[in-house]
Amino acid sequence: MTVTTKGSTHGTPDNPWGDTKTNAPSNGVNLGPTQRPRPVFPEPVPPQVHGPARVVAMVNQKGGVGKTTTTINLGAALVECGLKVLLVDFDPQGALSVGLGINPLQLDLTVYNLLMDRGVTAEDVLLETGVEGLDLLPSNIDLSAAEVQLVTEVAREQVLGRVIKPLLPHYDVCLIDCQPSLGLLTINALTCAHGVMVPLECEFFALRGVALLMDTISKVQERLNEDLEIEGLLATMYDARTLHGREVLARVVEAFGDKVFHTVINRTVRFPDATVAGEPITTFDPSSLGANAYRELAREVLSRWPAPATMAR
């Protein structure tokens, strides 16, 4: 991996990192908001053949940290790289579905039916989104009942992996947006995933639950899914103008080192605006800092994955 020495213009689309304060040491090497040298990630080569998908779970038991925003926009950015992406809304609140312009209350079939009704197939539930190459398994409040009903199922932690397995050969990446909980639904997502990504708000209270989350991931690795990897921790809602934000980010990097993504997602009103419009920020405001940050994250994610970027289970 090489390191760029070229400075970026702050506050413009040329600065995909979204930082407004950057140290510039005398040696000419620019440091990103994580206070590490800015890497240059290669442009990904679109795959000639699609599938099977690498499954990544977006997990954090704290709500409002950017899991759904990251699922939508990282998925859209990966599509721009030429990949086919499947999104799984695994949160009873249905925020992922809403963020893609779908009314959860008007759905006849959702992930809940896929989990609990033997006659329902993944193809029955699958929906196309407004972004070509980006498909969705939607959810609504019905999914909240699944956590109770799955308790009596045989191999209850493996139900999600079993029902989405037929779709994986047709996609390059599958992103699962988990609920803000470490309950049975989240365990299902971790059990079928190759990797777990942890969006983390740059705020003190967001740090408190990370140890518990890492403990849960460790237990899943030991007991249910020995191949599960931590993709990385993604700093979200970052505001470099505040000392608190910078200190929290520094503590995360100190604790987790290279597991923290170089790319940082800063706080901007364009994300909620895009959610109201029901589309990813990459299409809603393609030249914005937020859109460029997620494109940079897509390149960084692909650079971390094995070649090819997908992995069969």
Side-chain angles (χ1 to χ4, degrees):
M1 184 180 295
T2 58
V3 175
T4 180
T5 59
K6 179 180 178 181
S8 59
T9 302
H10 295 213
T12 75
D14 292 330
N15 176 10
W17 304 81
D19 55 316
T20 55
K21 289 188 178 181
T22 303
N23 287 352
S26 59
N27 60 10
V29 177
N30 283 348
L31 300 181
T34 64
Q35 298 306 302
R36 295 174 293 176
R38 295 174 181 261
V40 175
F41 302 108
E43 288 293 333
V45 178
Q48 298 298 314
V49 179
H50 296 290
R54 182 177 180 89
V55 182
V56 178
M58 295 284 179
V59 180
N60 192 324
Q61 75 270 31
K62 186 178 185 301
V65 298
K67 291 188 298 293
T68 301
T69 298
T70 296
T71 304
I72 293 174
N73 295 303
L74 176 59
L78 290 169
V79 167
E80 288 187 353
C81 296
L83 279 67
K84 290 192 66 176
V85 178
L86 172 65
L87 304 183
V88 180
D89 190 346
F90 216 46
D91 184 349
Q93 298 178 73
L96 180 64
S97 302
V98 172
L100 288 167
I102 296 166
N103 185 347
L105 300 179
Q106 297 178 351
L107 295 171
D108 295 324
L109 294 173
T110 66
V111 169
Y112 170 78
N113 304 101
L114 184 59
L115 293 175
M116 307 309 303
D117 300 340
R118 294 187 180 276
V120 176
T121 67
E123 289 79 7
D124 296 332
V125 180
L126 190 66
L127 297 177
E128 294 182 350
T129 70
V131 179
E132 186 176 356
L134 187 68
D135 296 336
L136 170 70
L137 292 177
S139 172
N140 60 19
I141 193 62
D142 293 344
L143 185 60
S144 60
E147 193 143 25
V148 176
Q149 295 171 340
L150 284 174
V151 170
T152 59
E153 290 285 324
V154 176
R156 59 190 181 186
E157 300 91 351
Q158 301 170 359
V159 176
L160 177 62
R162 175 175 54 80
V163 297
I164 67 172
K165 187 175 181 179
L167 292 179
L168 300 185
H170 308 292
Y171 295 89
D172 300 303
V173 181
C174 173
L175 302 178
I176 305 174
D177 183 29
C178 297
Q179 65 176 342
S181 161
L182 295 179
L184 186 54
L185 294 180
T186 300
I187 298 301
N188 259 263
L190 293 173
T191 301
C192 72
H194 299 107
V196 53
M197 185 179 296
V198 183
L200 183 68
E201 181 184 5
C202 290
E203 190 265 340
F204 173 73
F205 288 111
L207 287 174
R208 299 185 64 191
V210 174
L212 178 60
L213 174 58
M214 292 302 167
D215 183 56
T216 300
I217 293 172
S218 178
K219 289 179 180 178
V220 171
Q221 289 171 325
E222 293 174 3
R223 305 173 187 180
L224 296 168
N225 182 4
E226 63 180 12
D227 297 324
L228 181 65
E229 301 176 357
I230 298 177
E231 302 280 353
L233 289 84
L234 174 67
T236 63
M237 304 182 189
Y238 178 64
D239 188 346
R241 296 170 299 179
T242 67
L243 176 61
H244 181 71
R246 297 196 300 273
E247 288 180 340
V248 169
L249 182 55
R251 288 184 62 181
V252 173
V253 174
E254 180 182 359
F256 296 99
D258 289 340
K259 285 296 183 182
V260 181
F261 287 106
H262 288 274
T263 307
V264 168
I265 309 300
N266 69 331
R267 190 182 298 273
T268 170
V269 296
R270 302 307 281 166
F271 289 127
D273 289 346
T275 300
V276 172
E279 59 182 298
I281 197 169
T282 52
T283 58
F284 176 75
D285 191 356
S287 63
S288 66
L289 289 175
N292 284 328
Y294 275 108
R295 292 186 183 106
E296 186 74 9
L297 177 63
R299 290 191 290 269
E300 181 171 4
V301 164
L302 291 174
S303 73
R304 291 188 177 209
W305 287 347
T310 55
M311 182 186 300
R313 182 170 296 288

